[in-house]
Amino acid sequence: MENLIGKHFVITGGTSGLGYALTKVLLERGAKVTLLVRSMTKFKQTFFPHNTHLLQAVQCDLNSAEQIKRLDFAHATINGLIHSAGLGYFKSISAHSEEEMLETYRINVVHFNILLNHLAHSFSEHPYIIGISSLAAHSTQAHSGHYAASKAAFNQVLNTYRLEHPNYHILTVNAGPIRTPFHAKADPTLKYATQVDKLMLDPDKLANQIIIYMLRNKAELNAPKWLNSLLKLYQLAPRKLERAFPKLFNNKKE
Ligand SMILES: NC(=O)c1ccc[n+]([C@@H]2O[C@H](COP(=O)([O-])OP(=O)(O)OC[C@H]3O[C@@H](n4cnc5c(N)ncnc54)[C@H](OP(=O)(O)O)[C@@H]3O)[C@@H](O)[C@H]2O)c1
């Protein structure tokens, strides 16, 4: 596959899960990578198997708009921005604390926007913008309301951005469950993760697929495909299906 020597990517969420897998793929292909990390200690403890001389990290807690706006890429050219940082709390809407609710929208959508605007001056002419979203953007369930809403908003921002910047290659990745530390944070009881264990996507395989889609200038990657097709059916009669198959819409709660 095509190498990425000389290309510079900025990645959020690169110290864990899918963002970590994407970082490994890009480094292996010879890209220069800058990670935005909230913890330099965690970054230093994270093992990257390939081309670590091409890797650097900059401290930035994405919860803080001030820290994002202090990032200085004035003398750098950015060929790609990957927003993989993200989180959700799998609990009822009423059980979310105010801070959990705000954090979900900040990291998943609002502060991504602030980051995008802030870095735009350093983008190359045809930058890749990859947003790691979720199939939850297509359909909500009990106990994932704010997560699904934030991802739906994220997708619409990316779709609008694609229309407003035709010279950008924007790829939205809508993923089903992925085998990452995300689940232990979203629901420490791991009830949902246990239910969907057999369906979990492998982050390394998904990362490779994302880079292939990126290089082909695709606009969307939905994985797994069968789950995305089911969700398309759901769009045809959402309220009827919610009544007919209540279990499917409550499996984050049970
Ligand atoms: N796992 C799934 O089942 C699944 C399914 C669909 C979509 N997704 C989406 O995939 C993306 C990647 O998630 P993942 O599964 O790889 O989860 P993960 O392993 O929990 O990784 C999340 C990353 O986000 C970073 N992050 C969170 N808050 C941050 C903050 N305030 N400042 C800076 N970085 C912050 C974390 O930093 P630390 O390393 O410091 O914790 C971590 O690197 C997310 O957007 C998620 O919504 C996940």
Side-chain angles (χ1 to χ4, degrees), residues 30-253:
K32 195 179 151 205
V33 176
T34 303
L35 299 186
L36 304 183
V37 301
R38 62 176 156 181
S39 162
M40 287 305 276
T41 308
K42 181 166 183 189
F43 169 69
K44 284 178 193 150
Q45 289 165 351
T46 308
F47 172 70
F48 294 91
H50 312 286
N51 290 332
T52 44
H53 64 285
L54 297 171
L55 177 66
Q56 62 163 346
V58 175
Q59 198 280 329
C60 180
D61 183 342
L62 296 172
N63 251 319
S64 160
E66 284 65 40
Q67 288 191 25
I68 295 171
K69 288 185 220 161
R70 273 205 297 270
L71 291 169
D72 183 7
F73 283 87
H75 302 293
T77 298
I78 299 171
N79 303 97
L81 169 65
I82 302 182
H83 184 51
S84 190
L87 53 85
Y89 294 98
F90 290 169
K91 49 169 77 171
S92 69
I93 287 184
S94 50
H96 276 73
S97 69
E98 193 176 316
E99 179 47 33
E100 286 170 341
M101 183 175 65
L102 291 172
E103 186 190 11
T104 304
Y105 291 99
R106 266 191 230 119
I107 305 295
N108 293 358
V109 57
V110 179
H111 285 192
F112 159 72
N113 260 250
I114 293 174
L115 179 66
L116 191 60
N117 288 344
H118 184 72
L119 297 184
H121 306 286
S122 304
F123 285 161
S124 59
E125 202 181 338
H126 300 288
Y128 296 109
I129 311 291
I130 304 184
I132 307 301
S133 189
S134 167
L135 286 175
H138 299 330
S139 151
T140 190
Q141 290 175 299
H143 286 214
S144 75
H146 287 307
Y147 180 66
S150 69
K151 291 299 190 182
F154 182 48
N155 284 16
Q156 293 304 3
V157 166
L158 291 169
N159 289 339
T160 309
Y161 217 70
R162 185 180 297 110
L163 295 170
E164 290 173 355
H165 297 268
N167 55 320
Y168 288 10
H169 300 306
I170 308 224
L171 170 62
T172 306
V173 178
N174 296 310
I178 317 167
R179 199 173 300 287
T180 71
F182 171 92
H183 296 280
K185 302 174 206 169
D187 171 14
T189 69
L190 290 177
K191 276 189 206 153
Y192 171 72
T194 308
Q195 280 183 59
V196 296
D197 187 66
K198 288 204 173 76
L199 308 179
M200 292 260 192
L201 298 164
D202 175 89
D204 292 311
K205 281 192 191 147
L206 182 59
N208 270 300
Q209 206 184 354
I210 291 170
I211 300 307
I212 291 169
Y213 268 56
M214 176 190 88
L215 291 170
R216 291 182 186 161
N217 294 332
K218 300 266 192 193
E220 216 173 283
L221 166 58
N222 296 292
K225 278 202 171 93
W226 65 266
L227 187 49
N228 183 53
S229 304
L230 267 186
L231 291 172
K232 285 217 161 94
L233 279 179
Y234 161 80
Q235 301 296 344
L236 296 175
R239 304 293 86 87
K240 274 200 182 116
L241 288 170
E242 281 164 20
R243 281 195 297 273
F245 302 102
K247 258 185 123 48
L248 289 179
F249 298 92
N250 283 289
N251 69 355
K252 286 197 170 86
K253 182 173 147 190

